[in-house]
Every structure is written in structure tokens, then in C-alpha cells.
Amino acid sequence: MQTQKVIDHIVNWLKDYATKANSKGFVVGVSGGIDSAVVSVLVAKTGLPVLVLEMPIRQKADQVDRAQDHIDFLKSNFPNVDGFRVDLTPTFESFEKTTEGYKDDSPSKNLAEANTRSRLRMVTLYYYGQINGFLVTGTGNKVEDFGVGFFTKYGDGGVDISPIADLYKTQIYEIAKELGILESIQKAKPTDGLWEVERTDEDQIGATYPELEWAMEQQKAGKTEADFDGREKEVMTIYLRFNRATQHKMNPIPVCEIPAELKN
């Protein structure tokens, strides 16, 4: 990959899109992870105003530290960047109390609460985005957004623009190195940060990002799990299971079209 040229292309695309949209700048949620770190630097390089928000909800200390360190890194390198913490823990706990007692034994309760965290962050980003006239900028990568659907519908999937959604995770690491992203972030294991216990992306999916990227390419070539053996077969099975189950996230909302003769 021609890393520097890709960086320049994304920065120019961001600047051009913001200008055409009459937007004053960008707002990005930073988590201490590689994707949000890269996106926040890319929008900062446009020279337009940027607001970065850390939005902890019972967050692990290492995630909080990395996010704050990255905000400090941005502020020290880009005069157009402002950033601060918006602690959403009290908001989330208030929601928990409001819904307490309803199907507490449901096997989907923990997942519903995890997705609620992501949706609270989306609401927060749009609040600050609207106040400032900024675009809510997505941090999803290609395999998450279009391969395994590893994002929350109307949570981190609810954005105005997606500058890195055509790049694989491995390519984003190349960009991070070129941009001088903090080593602690580059070396951290990817996690969505939505659970009480430490659960990496690999723990939840059952495959690494390089494996998932390989599987996505095999799917494009028309391959299925039947074409492979051993670990490759296992990875294809995992990838295709997620891909099939999350089409509702990747495809447009189904609209019931009413025949014209019924509307007259």
C-alpha cells in the first residue's frame, strides 16, 4: 500500500466533503484503540476544527489512559483540535435502573446493555456535533463494516462519514505507524470496550483480523467453507456465519413499497 498517498487522499476527501456539506469541522469519539486514533489524526490533518471526545462507561483503566494520552497527543500536535471527557457512566446506570426488573434473566440482556453503551455514545457525538456544526466521523474499518458486521446498529454504526471503511485493519496499522500514533495504542489488543470484563475483538469473533480479511477476500472470489480444510475452513465458517447474520446492519432499511393502485 502507498501509505502516505492513501493518507493524503483521505485527508483531501475529508476536507472536500466537509466543504461541500457546509460543515465547520469534525467530531470523533476516541476509545484508546487504533481505529479512532487514526481517524482523529486524519481529520486533524485537514486543518478544520476537530472535537475529540472520550466517553467512558465503566471503562477499563488502560483504555481510559490510552484515550487521554491520545487526546493530549492530538492537542500538542494540532492547534485545531479540542478534546475532553464526557463521563457517560451515570447516564448508563440511570438507564439500567429504569429498565431493571424487565427480563433480567434473558440471555440477550448483557448484549443489549453492551449495545446500549454504544448507542449512548452515538447520541452524545451527535449532540456535540450539532451544537458545533460538525460531522460525526466514523471509525469502522472494512472487515467490521462490510465483512462481519462487528458494530452496533445505530451505535458506532451511526455516523455521517466513514473515512477508513475501505481499509482493512492491517492497513490501518500501517497508517498508524506512518502517522506516529502512540506505541501503547499500536500495541493494544483491539476491543470494543462495551463489556464489564475484558473481551477482545478476537475473543468475541473467534478469529484474528488478518484471518477475517483473508476470509473476506475468499468470499469475494466465490469461495465457501467447503473449499478449505483445517483452520482455514474454521475461519471461513466463522466469517460467513457473522456475515450472514449481520446483513441487516449492512443493507439499507427494508421499505414496504405500496403498489400505486392501492394509494389512489
Side-chain angles (χ1 to χ4, degrees):
M1 183 175 72
Q2 300 179 61
T3 309
Q4 187 56 55
K5 289 186 177 180
V6 170
I7 291 170
D8 294 340
H9 178 82
I10 294 173
V11 171
N12 290 332
W13 179 84
L14 284 163
K15 191 184 302 184
D16 184 59
Y17 188 95
T19 300
K20 290 178 179 177
N22 293 317
S23 174
K24 297 177 182 177
F26 308 91
V27 59
V28 185
V30 292
S31 62
I34 195 77
D35 293 337
S36 64
V38 165
V39 167
S40 57
V41 173
L42 291 172
V43 293
K45 287 175 74 66
T46 66
L48 295 171
V50 174
L51 178 63
V52 290
L53 301 178
E54 181 207 352
M55 299 171 284
I57 302 176
R58 296 178 187 161
Q59 226 62 35
K60 300 297 179 185
D62 63 324
Q63 296 170 17
V64 171
D65 291 344
R66 288 198 305 272
Q68 190 56 58
D69 288 346
H70 182 64
I71 291 175
D72 293 341
F73 166 82
L74 287 168
K75 286 182 175 181
S76 64
N77 285 279
F78 300 97
N80 56 315
V81 174
D82 189 18
F84 50 84
R85 175 178 299 172
V86 181
D87 188 357
L88 294 177
T89 300
T91 305
F92 176 70
E93 290 179 344
S94 177
F95 179 85
E96 274 188 317
K97 290 179 182 177
T98 302
T99 58
E100 189 176 16
Y102 181 75
K103 295 190 177 181
D104 287 337
D105 59 346
S106 169
S108 299
K109 183 176 176 64
N110 288 338
L111 179 58
E113 289 186 341
N115 284 328
T116 296
R117 295 183 187 214
S118 184
R119 290 175 180 132
L120 285 174
R121 290 175 179 142
M122 179 274 292
V123 169
T124 304
L125 287 169
Y126 271 97
Y127 175 80
Y128 283 97
Q130 189 161 23
I131 285 176
N132 291 285
F134 291 169
L135 292 165
V136 175
T137 310
T139 61
N141 60 64
K142 188 172 185 175
V143 76
E144 290 174 346
D145 284 4
F146 303 110
V148 293
F150 195 65
F151 61 90
T152 297
K153 198 173 186 179
Y154 307 120
D156 52 327
V159 299
D160 293 321
I161 51 173
S162 293
I164 61 169
D166 194 36
L167 293 172
Y168 282 132
K169 192 86 162 185
T170 49
Q171 294 172 316
I172 291 166
Y173 276 105
E174 290 182 45
I175 291 176
K177 185 176 181 180
E178 184 75 16
L179 293 175
I181 299 295
L182 298 174
E183 282 291 320
S184 59
I185 293 176
Q186 292 192 52
K187 293 180 178 179
K189 291 183 177 181
T191 177
D192 57 18
L194 298 178
W195 303 88
E196 295 294 315
V197 296
E198 185 67 42
R199 296 180 63 180
T200 67
D201 294 351
E202 183 178 349
D203 291 336
Q204 295 185 63
I205 298 172
T208 66
Y209 277 99
E211 287 178 325
L212 294 170
E213 292 167 12
W214 168 83
M216 194 170 182
E217 290 298 317
Q218 299 310 309
Q219 182 193 39
K220 288 180 182 178
K223 303 289 187 180
T224 69
E225 54 264 63
D227 294 302
F228 303 99
D229 296 306
R231 178 58 180 170
E232 289 184 341
K233 182 183 183 72
E234 183 180 0
V235 169
M236 279 300 294
T237 300
I238 291 170
Y239 171 83
L240 291 172
R241 183 176 72 247
F242 274 93
N243 181 264
R244 291 162 183 156
T246 58
Q247 286 299 311
H248 69 98
K249 297 182 182 182
M250 306 179 212
N251 294 325
I253 299 170
V255 175
C256 178
E257 296 186 8
I258 311 300
E261 63 270 18
L262 296 182
K263 294 190 286 186
N264 294 327

